[in-house]
Each structure stands twice: as structure tokens, then as C-alpha cells.
Amino acid sequence: MTDKEKGKLSHMLAADSSNPSESSSTTPALSVLHKDLLSLLTLIYAATTKLTLSLRAEQPAYRASLGPLQDLIGNVSAIATCATLFKTHGLTLASDVRQVVREICSALSALGNTLLEEGEDYLVHTGMVHDLVDKAKRDLPADNRAAVKKRWAADRGMLEDSVQDVTSMIEDNDEADEEDEFDEELDDLGLGSTKKMSEVEMERTKKVQPLLRFTTLLHKRVQLDILAKPPPERTSNPVLDSLPSHSHAILVALEDTIATLYAPQDPSAIASALAPLASAVEGLRSALTPILPSAPDIAGVATEGAPAELKGAQKDIRKWFVTCFDQIDKLSCSLRDSLAQESSV
């Protein structure tokens, strides 16, 4: 390839690979945008394949590459514009779409650099573009509620794993205390100590466990009873968009609380960790209260795994959430008072 051809190819590859521009004042319907996005992803996949074949290292055909290259540039420009139009249909969905477009543009840029340098791993970069396109077509949420639900579900898995760690901590503590050569390394990594808890620490952990269990169940019920069905008309996208941040706040606070339960325990540290957890749950209460059903809604209510304290509210979603929030607040206050008394002794 001559220097002139390389310069032209480099300029074309660099075009429109930056962040998407501002959207126009008229925004198409979500179904139209979603269809256009999928179509553009298909076109990018095909153009990338044609470009790679025409510029294969064994026998590059530079003139033949101009057609698919121009198609690719046009499609990248179009998909970047398309991504900016999703924001009026929900910020969570729009964020997911922009992230996909950024990743594809980044992969195309890497492919372009490899082709310009006539590198040997151009097929690897082509495969990366193909994989990203396939993943986007398979996993992109259909609407903003689905995007929020997807993020909520990811946090839910980590919450349940964290609470299971506490259960394992209690069960493992009943076993003989054995020397572990990795104890010091775990402490250095901030993963907690494997030292056996004393009887007092064990009882303290068992008192905190119900709060963690209630909080995890609350998180699960939001996914099953609020996000798993079409939201009421009064549920605006801003309300839905606020939920992932509340989910993340609960996850971080719960993990910080669990970290304080490893031996040796400090009652004051546990109490300090419980305050952000209570605050995070209260923030979720404020966000959910306006969108909870005002009348009993039996259909779709998740009844599995509910503690005895909540059995009476199973058929009324609003009552269930109010009862659960109150129970968590009651447990949080009781635990913090108890831990404060221990610290003052």
C-alpha cells in the first residue's frame, strides 16, 4: 500500500468513531429505534467481514476495500446518531446502547489500526467486532424497564452470594479451628480472616443475619413484583432510572456490613456499617413508595422464601413492602442500639 492510500484509509477509518453527537429534536418511537439499531448492527457485521476479506494479508485488494469501507463508515455514523436518540426513552436503556456503540467503535478502531499496519492478527480483531455485534443483538434490552431489570438482577446475584457467605461463616465456625497458611494472604487482600469466631462473635453474627436476609429478600421482591411486569402508567422513566443506583447502594452497604463480621469483630465497626445500609434501604423506600400498587395485587406476587413476619402481607404488594421496610428499620435500630451498648462497656 502506498503512503497516499494508507493516509486515505486511515482518515476514513477514523471518521465518526468518536462519541455520538447530539440527537435531533424529533425522536422516533422506541420500536423504530430498536429495529434501526439491530439493522445497523447487521450491516456493520457484514461490512466488517467484507473489509477484512478484501484487505487480507495474503493478497490485499485496496480498491475493492473502498466500497465496504465507505459502507462501514456510513453505518458507524448512523448507529452513533441512533444511539443518541434513545435518551428520551429512558436513561438506563440509553446508557446501555451508548456503551455497546462505544465498544463496537473501539473494536473497529483496533481492527483499522491492524489493517493499516498490515498486522497478522486482523482476524482476531474481526472476530471481536463480530462477537460484540452478536452479543448486542442478543442481550440489548427491549425497553428501559428491561434495562433497569437487567442491572437489578446482576446486583441480586451478588447480594445472594454475599449473604450465603455469612451462612457459610456460621456453619464453618462449628468446625475445628485449623491453621491455614493462607490466612495472612487473605488479610492482606482484604478478603477477611478465616479465624474462628468466639461465642460472643457468633451470637452477634446470628443477630445481624436476619437483617441481611430481609434486605436480600426485599431486593428480590423488587425484581419479581415491580420490575417483572409492565409498570403502572404513573411509573415514569426517571423513577425507573433511579432504581439501579439504589440497588448498588444497598449492595455496597451490605457487603461492607458483612466485611465487619469476620473475626476478630469490632462492635463499633459493625454499627458504623449498619448506618449506610439502613440509609440505602430508606432511599429505596422513598423511590418505591410512589409506584407501589394502591390495591391488593395477588397475581404475580412472589411468596417463596418469605419470613414468618411477612406471611400476612403476601397478597398485598404494597402492604408487603411497607411491612418489610418497617421490619428492616426496626432490626437496624435494635442492632445499632445493642452494638452501641457493647462498645460503651
Side-chain angles (χ1 to χ4, degrees), residues 204-212 257 261 270 274 335:
R204 191 182 294 132
T205 301
K206 289 181 178 179
K207 289 179 180 178
V208 175
Q209 188 181 26
L211 173 63
L212 305 178
T257 299
L261 297 179
I270 300 174
L274 288 175
L335 283 170

Side-chain angles (χ1 to χ4, degrees), residues 8-315:
K8 183 176 182 180
L9 183 58
S10 178
H11 176 74
M12 296 177 75
L13 284 169
D16 297 307
S17 62
S18 59
N19 289 334
S21 58
E22 288 297 319
S23 63
S24 60
S25 57
T26 303
T27 303
L30 179 58
S31 59
V32 174
L33 282 177
H34 198 269
K35 183 178 179 180
D36 288 348
L37 183 69
L38 294 179
S39 297
L40 288 167
L41 289 170
T42 300
L43 292 173
I44 287 174
Y45 188 109
T48 301
T49 303
K50 293 177 182 178
L51 178 64
T52 300
L53 291 174
S54 63
L55 292 177
R56 60 188 182 277
E58 298 81 5
Q59 191 176 0
Y62 301 120
R63 291 187 181 278
S65 71
L66 294 180
L69 183 56
Q70 289 173 334
D71 291 341
L72 184 59
I73 291 171
N75 294 329
V76 168
S77 177
I79 202 172
T81 300
C82 181
T84 67
L85 302 179
F86 278 84
K87 63 184 180 182
T88 59
H89 297 290
L91 296 181
T92 307
L93 175 62
S95 176
D96 286 354
V97 172
R98 288 197 303 272
Q99 180 62 27
V100 165
V101 172
R102 280 194 292 266
E103 290 176 351
I104 290 175
C105 286
S106 178
L108 286 170
S109 178
L111 172 61
N113 290 332
T114 302
L115 291 173
L116 286 170
E117 298 168 359
E118 300 181 4
E120 297 181 355
D121 56 349
Y122 64 97
L123 290 178
V124 174
H125 291 288
T126 301
M128 290 176 64
V129 175
H130 288 172
D131 288 344
L132 287 171
V133 170
D134 286 339
K135 184 176 184 296
K137 293 172 70 174
R138 181 179 66 250
D139 297 341
L140 265 179
D143 54 28
N144 199 50
R145 179 183 61 85
V148 172
K149 181 183 176 182
K150 181 180 178 181
R151 296 193 185 187
W152 197 274
D155 285 347
R156 174 184 163 187
M158 289 186 284
L159 276 171
E160 292 179 344
D161 288 343
S162 296
V163 174
Q164 181 58 41
D165 288 343
V166 176
T167 301
S168 299
M169 186 192 310
I170 293 173
E171 292 174 351
D172 293 344
N173 201 70
D174 293 332
E175 299 177 358
D177 189 12
E178 298 177 355
E179 188 70 23
D180 191 333
E181 62 179 334
F182 296 107
D183 279 354
E184 185 175 344
E185 286 80 2
L186 288 173
D187 287 336
D188 292 340
L189 291 172
L191 299 178
S193 170
T194 58
K195 295 179 181 178
K196 187 175 181 179
M197 287 184 284
S198 66
E199 292 184 8
V200 173
E201 290 173 331
M202 173 64 74
E203 290 304 314
R204 191 182 294 132
T205 301
K206 289 181 178 179
K207 289 179 180 178
V208 175
Q209 188 181 26
L211 173 63
L212 305 178
R213 186 163 54 92
F214 271 108
T215 303
T216 305
L217 180 60
L218 169 66
H219 192 278
K220 175 182 178 180
R221 287 289 296 262
V222 172
Q223 180 182 341
L224 298 180
D225 296 335
I226 305 298
L227 297 176
K229 59 183 70 174
E233 291 296 327
R234 65 181 181 278
T235 308
S236 63
N237 275 321
V239 173
L240 287 174
D241 287 327
S242 72
L243 295 182
S245 63
H246 291 296
S247 174
H248 185 68
I250 289 175
L251 173 61
V252 171
L254 185 137
E255 289 181 336
D256 288 345
T257 299
I258 291 175
T260 65
L261 297 179
Y262 288 93
Q265 294 178 356
D266 179 357
S268 62
I270 300 174
S272 297
L274 288 175
L277 179 58
S279 177
V281 171
E282 188 59 32
L284 177 60
R285 185 207 285 259
S286 299
L288 284 183
T289 298
I291 65 174
L292 290 175
S294 56
D297 184 359
I298 299 176
V301 174
T303 59
E304 181 182 355
E309 296 86 341
L310 302 177
K311 289 294 186 181
Q314 286 297 328
K315 294 184 179 181

Side-chain angles (χ1 to χ4, degrees), residues 299-328:
V301 174
T303 59
E304 181 182 355
E309 296 86 341
L310 302 177
K311 289 294 186 181
Q314 286 297 328
K315 294 184 179 181
D316 185 334
I317 290 178
R318 172 176 284 273
K319 183 178 180 182
W320 192 97
F321 278 100
V322 169
T323 304
C324 190
F325 278 121
D326 289 344
Q327 188 68 21
I328 290 174

